[in-house]
Amino acid sequence: MKAKLLFGMFIIMSTIFWSCMDVDLVNPKEETNSLETNLIASETNLKSGSAEKQISLQLKNEKSSGTVTISNTSTTLTVKFKGNSTYDLEEVQLWVGTTPDAVPSNSQNIPTPGRFPYKSAGKTEYQFTISQNEITPGYDFEEGGNIYLFAHASAVNKSTGTKESAWSTGEYISDKPNFAASYSTYTPVGGGGCFPHVAFCGLLIENTYYYDINNESESIVADNGQIIGTASYIDQNIRFYFDQDWMFSDNTTLVVIKGYQKPGGKAFEVYSGKPLAPSPPMFYYYGPLTKYNYYSVELNVQYCTTDN
C-alpha cells in the first residue's frame, strides 16, 4: 500500500513538472547541417547599417560548400567567395551583368566558367571589386536595376579530397539539368555605410605592388584602382596617411608586410598584424625597416560614407 502511494505521488509530480516545461528537442548534428545547407539568399546587416546579401555555393546534391557575399558602394560592387567547415574553394570564376542571356556559354547554352572575366585560384578567400561601368556601359547603382551573377567554384572536400562543381544558389538555367548551372540576383542598396577593401603601397610591377624605401613617399592604392592616401618612409618606419573617408577596417589582421631584395625576387615575411597607431589619421608600422630595399605592403581598409 505504501509503495502504491509513493508511485502515485511520483506520477503526479512528474506530470506537474513536465507540464510546466516547453520542451524542444533538437539534434545538434541536424541543426548544424541545416545551418550550412540552407544559406539560400539570406540577408545580413553590417555594423554600419547597410545591407549585404549572402548566398550559398550549392553543390550538385544541393549541399552548401561555402558562401558568396555581395555588397556595393555608390560606384563599385564587391563579391566575396568563402568555403565552409567541410569544403575549401580551390578556384573561383565570376560573371556579372544586367541580363543572364549575356553570360558566356557553349553551343548547348550552358555557361562556361573558363570564359568568365573574374577568376582566381589558390586562396582561402576571394574578393572581386567591380566598378559599375564594368557591369554594363552606363549602368548606375542609383537606379537600382537587378544585377545577375554567375558565381562558380571548384570545391574540394577537406576530408576526402573530392573536387566538385558549385554554383551560387538562385535560378537554374531553363531546359537544362539543375546541376548544369544556377545564377543569383542582387539589387544594389543605397544609403551610407562602411565598405571593406584591400589596399597596397607603391608601384605595380608584374602583378605585385612594391614599396621602394629609397622613395620618401608612395601612393596607397585600393583594390578598385583608387589612390586613397600616401605611405611615407620616415625614421625607418612606414607611415600611412589616408584620404578623407578611408581608414583601417575592423579585421584582425590589418597590415601584412613582406621584404624583397628586388622586385620579382623571393618574399620574406616581415610583419602580419595590427598597425601601431600613435594617433589617427597617421598609422605606422614600427621598424626599423632596413634589411630589404623593397617591401610589399597589404592593408585591410574600409571606405565609410553617409551619402544617401
Side-chain angles (χ1 to χ4, degrees):
M1 182 67 180
K2 184 176 180 181
K4 290 182 178 180
L5 180 61
L6 290 173
F7 180 74
M9 292 178 64
F10 172 78
I11 293 297
I12 293 171
M13 294 300 294
S14 298
T15 301
I16 295 172
F17 175 76
W18 289 108
S19 66
C20 294
M21 296 185 65
D22 183 12
V23 181
D24 185 13
L25 299 178
V26 178
N27 185 314
K29 185 176 181 180
E30 291 179 355
E31 185 178 31
T32 300
N33 290 338
S34 175
L35 288 173
E36 288 195 347
T37 57
N38 291 312
L39 280 169
I40 301 177
S42 63
E43 293 190 4
T44 57
N45 289 325
L46 297 172
K47 289 181 180 179
S48 61
S50 62
E52 63 179 11
K53 187 173 185 178
Q54 190 175 82
I55 304 171
S56 175
L57 275 171
Q58 181 176 270
L59 301 170
K60 180 179 177 180
N61 60 9
E62 297 187 345
K63 289 187 177 180
S64 176
S65 62
T67 55
V68 175
T69 303
I70 313 162
S71 61
N72 71 279
T73 67
S74 60
T75 58
T76 60
L77 180 76
T78 299
V79 182
K80 300 178 184 179
F81 290 73
K82 185 177 182 180
N84 59 17
S85 59
T86 305
Y87 290 89
D88 286 325
L89 304 183
E90 185 176 81
E91 58 181 326
V92 299
Q93 300 88 18
L94 173 68
W95 178 90
V96 297
T98 54
T99 172
D101 296 334
V103 66
S105 302
N106 59 20
S107 58
Q108 285 77 42
N109 198 34
I110 296 176
T112 52
R115 295 166 57 194
F116 291 179
Y118 307 101
K119 58 189 71 176
S120 187
K123 301 179 182 179
T124 56
E125 298 182 21
Y126 304 86
Q127 177 174 308
F128 302 98
T129 301
I130 305 164
S131 71
Q132 57 186 356
N133 290 329
E134 293 178 70
I135 297 171
T136 191
Y139 181 84
D140 190 346
F141 284 132
E142 294 184 2
E143 296 178 359
N146 276 345
I147 297 172
Y148 295 86
L149 300 96
F150 285 79
H152 176 266
S154 294
V156 179
N157 189 294
K158 296 180 181 180
S159 299
T160 65
T162 303
K163 185 187 298 185
E164 300 180 63
S165 182
W167 292 89
S168 60
T169 301
E171 298 293 327
Y172 290 108
I173 300 297
S174 60
D175 302 324
K176 302 296 177 183
N178 286 351
F179 59 83
S182 58
Y183 62 90
S184 310
T185 59
Y186 173 76
T187 302
V189 295
C194 292
F195 305 94
H197 291 269
V198 179
F200 309 92
C201 299
L203 294 176
L204 183 63
I205 304 175
E206 296 182 354
N207 299 319
T208 299
Y209 282 89
Y210 293 96
Y211 185 98
D212 185 349
I213 63 172
N214 294 308
N215 297 331
E216 182 178 329
S217 180
E218 298 270 24
S219 296
I220 301 176
V221 185
D223 49 15
N224 60 3
Q226 182 178 348
I227 296 176
I228 63 171
T230 58
S232 298
Y233 186 69
I234 302 173
D235 298 331
Q236 299 180 344
N237 302 306
I238 295 181
R239 304 188 182 188
F240 307 112
Y241 300 86
F242 292 111
D243 292 347
Q244 186 175 356
D245 300 327
W246 287 90
M247 64 198 73
F248 280 108
S249 68
D250 295 327
N251 294 335
T252 302
T253 301
L254 302 178
V255 179
V256 178
I257 298 180
K258 297 178 182 179
Y260 297 82
Q261 297 295 356
K262 61 180 181 180
K266 182 179 180 181
F268 297 90
E269 298 288 341
V270 174
Y271 180 75
S272 179
K274 294 183 177 181
L276 302 175
S279 60
M282 183 182 72
F283 299 83
Y284 59 86
Y285 165 70
Y286 283 100
L289 295 179
T290 57
K291 188 174 181 179
Y292 305 101
N293 291 321
Y294 298 88
Y295 293 88
S296 65
V297 183
E298 180 178 314
L299 311 173
N300 288 328
V301 298
Q302 61 184 352
Y303 173 74
C304 296
T305 177
T306 58
D307 292 340
N308 291 320

